[in-house]
Amino acid sequence: DVFNCLPVSALVDEKILCMHGGLSPEMESLQQIADLSRPCDVPDVGLMCDLLWSDPDTSVNGWGENDRGVSFVFGADIVCEFLEKHDLDLLVRAHQVVEDGYEFFAGRRLVTLFSAPNYCGEFDNAGGLISVDENLMCSFMILKPSTRSERFSVPKSRSSTNNSGNMSINGSSGGISNHVSPNSATPASSDNDTSTVATPTTFMSTSPSSSR
């Protein structure tokens, strides 16, 4: 019942749109999200369903069928068209396990963020957290996965530490690994550059305006 009451999307400073799943072919304006009635059960089709269950797909242009059997997949062209139409800079979504905790798509215009390391105890994925400052500078902190032996071993004492989340969000442990504007013509790395690093990956979601 709690999930039926939660917001299905969030807008950060009018520039970063967040949801669990992805975009919808039914969405013409952001006001449609605000108009969704809550609490309610999630329907099998429609805008709310897509916001929760759609996925980006590097192999398609436009919209396609989703192998999950629900909602759609969408290509990088859909992401770029949507962001330009609504004057947004970045989409942040989850819904897919990604090996390094986060993964870019569509020229760093979308990022998949998955915060649960060792998902369900069956994967060796890292987890990722995102921090957005007042200038819309986005930093990613990686939660390193534990090994199988660590997951099934008995801790020697309660004072044992897990360093999976000990990275400084300010980069004090060694600087910033990446710094790039998504609108730059020459991004620092490709969409698939998601290597786990000792410091957060940082990039500017938008150029800070004089009003900020």
Side-chain angles (χ1 to χ4, degrees), residues 33-62:
I33 302 177
D35 291 341
L36 290 172
S37 61
R38 302 291 274 168
C40 69
D41 293 326
V42 179
D44 294 330
V45 295
L47 174 59
M48 183 180 296
C49 174
D50 298 333
L51 288 170
L52 294 175
W53 306 128
S54 68
D55 297 298
D57 191 325
T58 57
S59 67
V60 304
N61 288 318

Side-chain angles (χ1 to χ4, degrees), residues 1-9 36-42 48:
D1 291 341
V2 172
F3 285 99
N4 289 343
C5 299
L6 294 176
V8 295
S9 184
L36 290 172
S37 61
R38 302 291 274 168
C40 69
D41 293 326
V42 179
M48 183 180 296

Side-chain angles (χ1 to χ4, degrees), residues 9-146:
S9 184
L11 184 61
V12 180
D13 202 18
E14 307 297 327
K15 287 295 182 181
I16 303 175
L17 183 64
C18 311
M19 72 281 286
H20 177 73
L23 298 175
S24 172
E26 296 189 10
M27 184 157 52
E28 296 295 332
S29 73
L30 299 183
Q31 184 60 40
Q32 289 176 260
I33 302 177
D35 291 341
L36 290 172
S37 61
R38 302 291 274 168
C40 69
D41 293 326
V42 179
D44 294 330
V45 295
L47 174 59
M48 183 180 296
C49 174
D50 298 333
L51 288 170
L52 294 175
W53 306 128
S54 68
D55 297 298
D57 191 325
T58 57
S59 67
V60 304
N61 288 318
W63 299 94
E65 294 184 3
N66 197 320
D67 291 339
R68 299 177 187 271
V70 64
S71 191
F72 302 92
V73 294
F74 53 91
D77 56 326
I78 296 295
V79 173
C80 294
E81 289 172 8
F82 180 86
L83 293 179
E84 290 172 7
K85 177 180 179 180
H86 299 286
D87 193 26
L88 299 170
D89 286 332
L90 181 68
L91 295 177
V92 180
R93 46 90 61 180
H95 192 39
Q96 290 174 302
V97 179
V98 287
E99 182 178 359
D100 296 307
Y102 70 98
E103 184 173 283
F104 286 108
F105 178 76
R108 295 197 169 202
R109 306 295 301 277
L110 178 150
V111 62
T112 294
L113 188 71
F114 198 83
S115 59
N118 298 114
Y119 181 56
C120 290
E122 299 178 2
F123 295 85
D124 292 325
N125 66 288
L129 303 176
I130 187 171
S131 175
V132 182
D133 71 10
E134 64 274 12
N135 293 315
L136 298 187
M137 182 74 77
C138 301
S139 300
F140 296 92
M141 184 169 64
I142 305 304
L143 305 177
K144 296 180 181 179
S146 60

